[in-house]
């Protein structure tokens, strides 16, 4: 959504914010989702889980529906079995980074939400880390904290 500033108003998309009788006026309806732009994070259809420990590092990717109360289904595999990875997402893909395999891994795996398929290795973290928290912005994924490998 474009925001343009003019001498007499601020245009937000197709709407205007301007000075009028009694103060600032807006000629549209403001809703939070209108300000997200094209970025829509996954989360309206299903949730995902990748990896785990049972005993030993697991590689499975499971998907569970938000619309129905039903069991998760297996939809693919990470590139290697591991537990304690950090998860993040874009609007189209899920990411699993680091984790214990053992040893502690630095692998970044990526899998597509639109189809059930295996993950692909798309890069490495600078540090081997397990148990970190995954976060996402519109343009990047982050791994914060965790336990780094000393070897």
């Amino acid at each position: 959504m474009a925001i343009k500033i003019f001498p007499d108003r601020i245009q937000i998309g197709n709407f205007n914010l301007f000075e009028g009788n009694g103060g600032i006026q807006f000629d549209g309806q403001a809703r939070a989702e209108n300000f997200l732009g094209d970025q829509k994070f996954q989360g309206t259809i299903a949730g995902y889980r990748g990896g785990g420990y049972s005993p030993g590092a697991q590689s499975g990717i499971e998907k569970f529906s938000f619309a129905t109360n039903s069991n998760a289904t297996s939809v693919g595999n990470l590139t290697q079995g591991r537990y304690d990875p950090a998860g993040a997402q874009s609007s189209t893909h899920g990411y699993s980074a680091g984790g214990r395999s053992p040893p502690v891994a630095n692998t970044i795996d990526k899998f597509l939400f639109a189809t059930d398929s295996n993950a692909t290795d798309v890069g490495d973290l600078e540090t081997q880390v397990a148990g970190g928290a995954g976060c996402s912005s519109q343009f990047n994924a982050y791994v914060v904290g965790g336990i780094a490998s000393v070897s």
Side-chain angles (χ1 to χ4, degrees):
M1 173 178 296
I3 298 175
K4 298 178 183 176
I5 300 176
F6 296 96
D8 61 338
R9 71 187 190 286
I10 298 173
Q11 185 177 5
I12 304 170
N14 296 324
F15 303 104
N16 295 289
L17 183 66
F18 57 94
E19 184 178 359
N21 294 336
I24 295 177
Q25 295 182 353
F26 184 65
D27 65 0
Q29 179 181 9
R31 295 183 3 200
E33 60 266 17
N34 291 343
F35 295 95
L36 293 175
D38 292 335
Q39 181 66 28
K40 304 278 192 278
F41 284 107
Q42 182 70 15
T44 58
I45 297 170
Y48 291 83
R49 179 206 63 84
Y53 188 85
S54 180
Q58 303 295 304
S59 64
I61 300 171
E62 292 183 348
K63 176 180 179 179
F64 51 94
S65 173
F66 291 151
T68 62
N69 293 329
S70 57
N71 293 332
T73 58
S74 178
V75 295
N77 289 293
L78 299 174
T79 59
Q80 66 189 95
R82 57 184 187 263
Y83 57 100
D84 289 341
Q89 76 280 338
S90 71
S91 60
T92 58
H93 291 84
Y95 295 84
S96 179
R100 303 170 202 250
S101 46
V104 177
N106 66 348
T107 306
I108 302 170
D109 280 354
K110 175 180 177 180
F111 58 93
L112 186 62
F113 291 136
T115 61
D116 296 344
S117 59
N118 291 330
T120 57
D121 182 339
V122 295
D124 293 325
L125 299 172
E126 286 189 10
T127 304
Q128 295 169 305
V129 66
C135 324
S136 303
S137 74
Q138 184 175 354
F139 301 106
N140 296 291
Y142 302 88
V143 176
V144 293
I147 300 167
S149 174
V150 293
S151 56

